[in-house]
Structures are given as C-alpha cells and as structure tokens.
C-alpha cells in the first residue's frame, strides 16, 4: 500500500490552519496550498472573499517551491530579463516565481513538501507561508 | 469587498472532514475537493497514500457536478458511446463523468457548490461524496 | 481595414436574440454562441441560471459546426467507437460532436459562420440552434 | 434551480451595448466581454473587422479583472520585470495585465462581475471598458 510521499495530511492541515490563523491575525484574505515531496496537492484552503485568481497562484507557488527546493522569490531573482533562468515560468505547466512559496523540511532536515500562499502583497504572502511552514 | 461565492471555507472544511471520516470508517483512501458556486476550489484534502492521479479527478468531479448541477454519474450515463452527450468530457478543460461528484445546496435549496471524491471504486467515491455533502 | 469574416455582429446578435427568445418560449436556459466564417467568436449570451459548463460547450459546438461545415450531430455519428472519425474530439483544442451546433449560410448560400447552443437536451439544443440560424 | 452568479444577462448585454456605442463614437473596433462574479463568460460582442486576436484578450481581461477585483492595468504595473508580481500572467490559464479590464459592482457596492475590452490602444480599451461599466 502506498504511503504519504513526504508531508502527511495531518501535517498539511496543521500548516494550512496556522497560515489561515496568521492571515486572520494580519487582516488579510489568503489562499493556502500544501504539496507533498512529489509536488502533489495535499491540502488547500480558500478564505472567504480571497482573490479567486490566487487559488491557482497559491498552488503553483507551492509546486514551484518544491520543484526547485527553494523559496519562489529566489527563482524570481534569476528569471528576470537578462537573468540566467529567464522565462523559466513557461515550464511545468506554468511556474510562479515571486514570493509566497517555501519548501518544508521534516525533523531530519529532509525536504517533505512545500507551502504556497497568495492573496495579498508578496511580503504578506511570504510571511504567511513562513508561519505555515513553522507550524510543523 | 468580495464575499464567499456560495459555500464558505468553514462549510467546505466541514464537508472535507466528514468525507475523510467516512473514508476512514470504510477503510478507503480518498482525495476530497469542494468547489464554490463559481466552480472555484475552496477546500481540498489528500489522504495519506491515496492515489495521486485521483487528486485531479476529485477536483474535476467537483467542478463537473457544479457545472451541470447534477451528480457526475448522471452525466456519465449520457456520455457513453452512442449516448446523447458522447465525448462531453472534452469540454471545460476536461470533465470527469463517472460517480463521485455531487452538487451541494444551502439551507434555502440554492446551489452553493459541489464536492468531488476520488480514490476507490466509483460506488465508494459516491458514498463518501454523499457523506460529505450531508455534513452541512 | 479589416471587415467582418462572414457573419456581422448585427447578424450574430439577431441570431442570439432569436435563440434566447426561442429558449424562453420553450422554458429552457441556454448558452448561445455565434462564430464567424473563420470560426472566431462573434456574439455570445449566457441566460441567467443556465449551466456554467455549457458556456464552453456552446462555443465549441459553434466552432465544430464551422470547422467541418455540418451540424455537430452529424460528426458525432462518425466519431463513435469503430467509426471512421473515432476520437476526432481530441483535435482543435477540443470538439463537441453531439447536436446543438449548425452552420449558417448567407443570402447566396455561402457559409458565413455557425451557431452553437447548449443548456438542455441535445434535441432542445438543436431546435434552439435552428431557430437562431433561421433568424437571418 | 441555479440563478445568475452576480451580473444578469440583461445587465451584461446593457454593458456590451454601451461599450459598442462608445467604440462607434470613438471610431474604434472593439471586442467586448462581460463575465459574472464567478469569472464565467456572460455576454460577448466582436465588432465587424475588429482584431481577431483581441477576442481572447478581451475575455482574459474580464476574467483577470474579476479574479483580482481590480483594473487589469493595476496588475500590469506590478508584473513588470523587477516588479513584485513579475510573470503572474502564467497563472490561471493565462492572464492579461494591461488596461482594458475593470471590475463591475452592483447597487450595494458588491462585486458582480467584470468587463474586458480589446481592439485599440490600451487607453482606448480602458475608456470603452469604463463606459460599459458605467451603463449599469
């Protein structure tokens, strides 16, 4: 029988709950997505009234962070015109390379997934993603 | 400020939790997706070890049920070879027309969204979707 | 300066209005799309409460009818398992091959576009499409 | 039975008519799309001879404005190289982030949909979209 590939549903829901709580505390409306070590969607929440367009963005941020094992904003620094990874967003069915996605590591430091947040400024998105990841 | 379009996050998470509880009781591993009245993803959970390919299917089932305001299996009965809706699955970026998606109505009987479940037999998928929808 | 490729906006809107009027008379809620001789969307209307999933289907029916210059149902008769055009729906970004799409001809019998209707049974869809086409 | 999700067909057609009238007055050829509160296409018109490539752009502008509840140009100011939302256009199946799409609010200030216009300069596109939105 198959087991979870990295993050479990329990861990993912804990991260989502922490991210939603942080958003409420900050007074922002977010979409929060958690993917497992394989980049597959594990848990998701859309806060009432949050931007509908940020649903897809939050999922793409989580996938992007896991696909390259770094915060999404770090990739965005490399994908600008003239940069070494210019236009990498065209790969993998569409990447999102601005802040709001961060990899998540387990107890032994191994990568177990990623969390992606979208719905406010990229600074807010990143802060909420960090709060979610810190819940583990 | 925008409000929830139909189902709220609280309602969606309640349905997801009920569907996961029902799955555990039945001994099956499911993916559960809830969409709002606009067909947008509102909440999602992937049970540990559930089929990865069923993540997308559960979301498509929920969207299909909302897009035609009927259980997905009802569409599948019409989309068979020789049937009146043969190959309808090619529309809307891909529909899933076998059982496991059901519309969800609010207190006044108005349609507020849909739930889609995938991970076992279509009978199990449908039973879990019904259990999720009944939680409201 | 470019001119209309076949059907004009005035003609397209006339067809849409006739199709909506026919739908109201029949007591059905439809999506109605008209494409020009190039297969490009020219006019569209979604009746309040009509199936959301039928928006895309009505457009695809209109495009399918124009792309092969025949009613969509005629293609569906050839695309069944074992038929000569089996799985043709995979082409052109997705075709819809059940009834509801019909080509539209001008005063001289030349093909000027097509109309696609979706929202009820395929018999109703086809009847409304014919009513729309007959308005010219 | 399902009802309109936000904007009604009557409201959408009124906006389209106002936008087409404004375009005629300005001497430009436009494509005009209106989406409902769920981002679904509700009404559309392609003026005779307008750019064919702007059909898709007008629809994407309307969807983009609804998905982020702001004029499309406001997003474009943030999605430039070096900007905080660089390359956001890769999400949601393709966004259009230059001017021409504006959200539409109802009598109580609630968001009920959006209008997208494409066919001329972005200044013209935006002016026509505003004229369409003002018709309600």
């Amino acid at each position: 029988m198959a087991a979870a590939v990295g993050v479990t549903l329990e861990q993912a829901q804990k991260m989502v709950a922490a991210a939603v709580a942080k958003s409420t505390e900050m007074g922002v409306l977010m979409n929060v997505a958690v993917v497992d070590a394989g980049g597959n969607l594990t848990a998701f929440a859309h806060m009432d009234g949050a931007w509908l367009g940020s649903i897809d963005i939050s999922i793409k941020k989580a996938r992007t962070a896991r696909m390259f094992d770094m915060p999404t904003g770090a990739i965005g620094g490399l994908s600008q015109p003239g940069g070494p990874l210019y236009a990498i967003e065209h790969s993998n069915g569409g990447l999102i390379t601005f802040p709001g996605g961060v990899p998540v590591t387990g107890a032994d430091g191994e990568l177990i997934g990623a969390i992606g947040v979208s719905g406010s400024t990229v600074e807010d998105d990143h802060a909420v993603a960090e709060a979610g990841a810190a819940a583990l």
Side-chain angles (χ1 to χ4, degrees), chain A:
Chain A
M1 179 170 247
V5 181
V7 69
T8 63
L9 176 56
E10 188 183 348
Q11 290 175 311
Q13 289 181 326
K14 201 170 173 182
M15 284 192 278
V16 168
V20 169
K22 178 71 174 179
S23 302
T24 301
E25 180 193 314
M26 292 170 62
V28 291
L29 299 178
M30 297 294 198
N31 295 275
V32 182
V34 173
V35 299
D36 66 15
N40 306 294
L41 190 64
T42 304
F44 173 82
H46 164 79
M47 292 175 73
D48 299 346
W51 287 328
L52 295 178
S54 282
I55 296 172
D56 184 54
I57 293 176
S58 66
I59 297 173
K60 281 189 165 60
K61 281 182 180 174
R63 291 189 71 242
T64 300
R66 169 56 189 110
M67 289 212 156
F68 299 97
D69 304 343
M70 63 181 82
T72 47
I75 302 170
L78 302 170
S79 67
Q80 299 293 320
L85 303 184
Y86 175 58
I88 192 173
E89 294 82 3
H90 289 269
S91 70
N92 295 288
L95 298 179
I96 290 292
T97 56
F98 45 83
V102 297
V104 176
T105 50
D108 302 333
E110 80 284 15
L111 201 141
I112 59 172
I115 181 170
V117 175
S118 181
S120 181
T121 64
V122 294
E123 290 78 14
D124 285 352
D125 292 356
H126 183 74
V128 171
E130 288 286 4
L136 282 200

